[in-house]
Amino acid sequence: MDNETIIFLLLVMFISLQSLVASQMLVSRSGIQGEWRLLHESIGVSAMHMQLLRNNKVVIFDRTDFGRSNLSLPGGRCRYDSHDLVISEDCSAHSVLYDVGSNTFRPLMVQTDTWCSSGAVLPDGTLVQTGGYNDGDHIIRTLAPCTGKNCDWVELPRTLIQRRWYSTDHILPDARIIVIGGRNQHNYEFYPKNSRDDPSSFSAFWLQFLSDTRDGDNENNLYPFVFLLPDGNLFIFANTRTIILDYKKNEVVRELPSIPGNEPRNYPSTGSAVLLPLDENRPMQAEIMVCGGAPRRAFGLTDYGVYMTALSSCGRITISDDHVSDSSWKMEQMPTPRVMSDMLILPSGDIILINGAARGTAGWENARNPVTRPMIYRPNRAENNRFSVMEASTRPRLYHSTAILLTDGRVLVGGSNPHKFYNFTGVDFPTDLSLESFSPPYLAPEYAPLKPTVLSIDDILMYKQPFSVTFTVPKFLKMGIVSVRIVAPSFTTHSFSMNQRMVVLKRVAISTVSDNTYRFIAFGPSTKEIAPPGYYMLFVVHAGIPSSGVWVKIHDISLY
């Protein structure tokens, strides 16, 4: 082969390579790396806390004690609070109800301070929101799914036994909510409180573990990571340590190994955690993943203008009935350090890490180098090939930013209040009142032929009982790559999505109904411990591409 031929072939290869790169860039721009959309430049309040309700409305709120928001209360209403730390008369809203379908929002009235509070949803779909700061720290507030203009918060004063600020809530199989920890609170309690059934419900129970995991004034054990395990016990992670708690007996069943590295993961170091999907088609076991955070000294050093590099490690630990004593952490590295990131389970079973920073820690003015690119983690891929970096947002989301999953598969993102008050000028990162959505790659147009659409479903599921889902898909590939899964909507604040869980339901059969239409028969969840009663988003997933979610209720007749 002469030199001219070699040069010609090299030129052809170069042009082909350039064309391939160009085509990949076009695919990327069309949504394979995800797509951002600004929904509202301002909703008037900073989205510090978010919860999706079963009527596809999102409750959003911040705090009452840093002045007037940018959204007025309707009809000349005002909040009068002599205990407020800033203003006693406030005619602005500090909570909104966002309608996903119409992309509209309206103000809600919250009276007491909700700063750094928590929440969980009862089986009937009512949001129970606990604690806060100042005059809100013993308060329980409820909001039932509703559509009328008079639908609003109901506040129950002095309902909590202890002050709850930076605590964690979790729904239990018996429909109670456990409220764990909080600033200077090394104990837990339950709601609702029913003395007829359980006199102990009016008690708070000491938890030595929370005292042992405190790092002095920095604490590093606030908003503990709490997950209900399939055996009914609770997995509780604080700082670097983990226990399995039998809350019925107030007994620590065992302590698991500390996460390697000896660096804290809870507020204010503020990593995040997720219970990976539970699969009823396999031997049942639970696997928890903890990612990111900040070094132990990070919080104090920001006072001197030093912003330490965040942690880039993730750890996974498996809990199973047979081998719990052998549990150990398996570590891997993220593409970039992250602190204050939210971790959400996507309908595909993958995990998205979104929001946060690469340096510093949580708290006022404590972070630098925003990380605007989400990452998607695919837990079933081979190690070192699990993370994919997505399209960047134009907006930094730092302290007090939030994210939740919507039924259409998008991720709703809002907030960022990295300093005191509604401060829009003279700071590196102004308060952000906007609301935007991120569409993961499975929503890209290229995957539309593989996307299922649910046509009909039994909207009430019973434990261990079969039910059917009828769906259509334009380009059906094969039966073996279809699954049905349920996702519990999370209460998200401070980089932790409380109550979030996915269960892949046990498959019975799948059959053809007509052209492009199929029927999937599955069993409802096996136990209340695997999936507590209540409302879930149900998705049909085909070849990794999920349908839009439909709401189903997992019904427990013993509660009625």
Side-chain angles (χ1 to χ4, degrees), residues 336-351:
T336 182
R338 296 188 87 114
V339 62
M340 296 184 293
S341 287
D342 294 288
M343 292 176 69
L344 298 173
I345 307 173
L346 297 175
S348 60
D350 299 328
I351 310 299

Side-chain angles (χ1 to χ4, degrees), residues 274-296:
V274 67
L275 171 67
L276 295 179
L278 302 171
D279 192 341
E280 294 256 45
N281 299 281
R282 302 174 181 175
M284 182 54 63
Q285 63 181 22
E287 188 170 10
I288 287 87
M289 182 174 179
V290 177
C291 286
R296 197 172 300 279

Side-chain angles (χ1 to χ4, degrees), residues 85-96:
L85 300 179
V86 179
I87 51 176
S88 59
E89 179 182 348
D90 186 356
C91 302
S92 66
H94 293 278
S95 178
V96 302

